[in-house]
Amino acid sequence: MRIGIDLGGTKIEVIALSDQGKELFRHRVSTPRDDYQKTLQAMTDLVLLAEEKTGETGSVGIGIPGSISPYTQRVKNANSTWLNGQPLDKDLATMLKREVRIANDANCLAVSEAVDGAAAGQPVVFAVIIGTGSGAGVTINGQSRIGGNGNAGEWGHNPLPWMDEDELRYREEVPCYCGQKGCIETFVSGTGFAKDYQRLSGTARKGAEIVQLLAQHDPVAELAMSRYELRLAKSLANVVNILDPDIIVLGGGMSNVERLYQTVPQLIKPWVFGKECETPIVQAKHGDSSGVRGAAWLWPLKS
């Protein structure tokens, strides 16, 4: 049995999977924000609960909104900032009395979709989270590519490419939490989409509300979405120019906007070197479950 945990900023979810990928148990609790020790305890309790409910002992994989530094062996780059600088894997291993594996949550999305999701069987997968933040993960033959610095797939913290005058102004107005300006995350996350609508309309709305306005042919919502689609296309074109993955998978709240799968594949072409691109851009098969499922799959089947 494999146990996966998705550690988010607002909730922690656990899943237990059989070796065949069948869901045996799932549960979620609120994240104890800004409290590292209580976060550790909550994750430990969820693992023990999963084992109690299934009657089995499992391997443990965890997806976090950051990564483990290969140099300090501590969490870095987490937007759940109370995790940064902490030896999370070692502390959990001590509490659970077994080894745990930790990966970036976007890498977990990539693993889940590459193993038995929308990208099953594809050699090189680039999986994107476009939700509250914006990150990405890479898998090669079903295995997560982390990189020597632990930064593989940190797509959201590169600058938005080919900025127009308005985007250059926006980068000065909305700095990224990472300390840089103009990060892709500030433009193509769901948060960035909502902020752009507010700039255009003067009214603050949630992303889901703006999408509802699209269905009502609201002109400001349409403008915000058109700008969003172009920015997403430009950002993904950079990935094609560098990695040229076999498939791109979208997850997170904005991935539920169905028109993206018609508009972005066409918008991406002018920005790709040679202006040719037929890379499939698809929605994550497992939706919100991809992260927690991918965490469980951090322990592959034994051959």
Side-chain angles (χ1 to χ4, degrees), residues 150-301:
N151 282 345
E154 286 292 359
W155 168 75
H157 296 283
N158 290 286
L160 182 77
W162 303 290
M163 288 190 193
D164 61 26
E165 290 185 5
D166 184 67
E167 290 160 350
L168 288 168
R169 285 192 296 270
Y170 183 81
R171 74 185 293 273
E172 298 300 322
E173 297 171 12
V174 187
C176 186
Y177 80 90
C178 74
Q180 301 291 352
K181 294 180 179 179
C183 287
I184 287 171
E185 176 166 312
T186 63
F187 290 95
V188 307
S189 63
T191 305
F193 172 58
K195 285 182 177 178
D196 195 41
Y197 175 86
Q198 184 175 0
R199 291 176 73 229
L200 295 169
S201 68
T203 303
R205 295 186 185 275
K206 295 181 180 179
E209 295 174 323
I210 303 168
V211 173
Q212 289 178 350
L213 290 174
L214 276 173
Q216 300 167 21
H217 307 290
D218 180 88
V220 181
E222 178 59 42
L223 177 58
M225 180 54 71
S226 297
R227 287 153 61 100
Y228 178 87
E229 290 165 333
L230 180 58
R231 290 163 179 169
L232 180 59
K234 290 192 295 185
S235 301
L236 292 176
N238 251 9
V239 175
V240 174
N241 286 342
I242 295 171
L243 182 64
D244 208 357
D246 295 294
I247 191 168
I248 296 170
V249 181
L250 304 184
M254 291 299 293
S255 72
N256 295 317
V257 179
E258 293 183 4
R259 63 183 265 177
L260 294 179
Y261 305 99
Q262 285 73 53
T263 56
V264 174
Q266 299 308 312
L267 290 169
I268 197 174
K269 292 181 181 181
W271 305 99
V272 171
F273 185 54
K275 304 190 186 308
E276 294 178 331
C277 183
E278 300 299 333
T279 305
I281 301 175
V282 301
Q283 186 174 11
K285 176 180 177 181
H286 297 300
D288 291 343
S289 299
S290 280
V292 72
R293 288 177 61 87
W297 285 116
L298 291 175
W299 291 85
L301 287 168

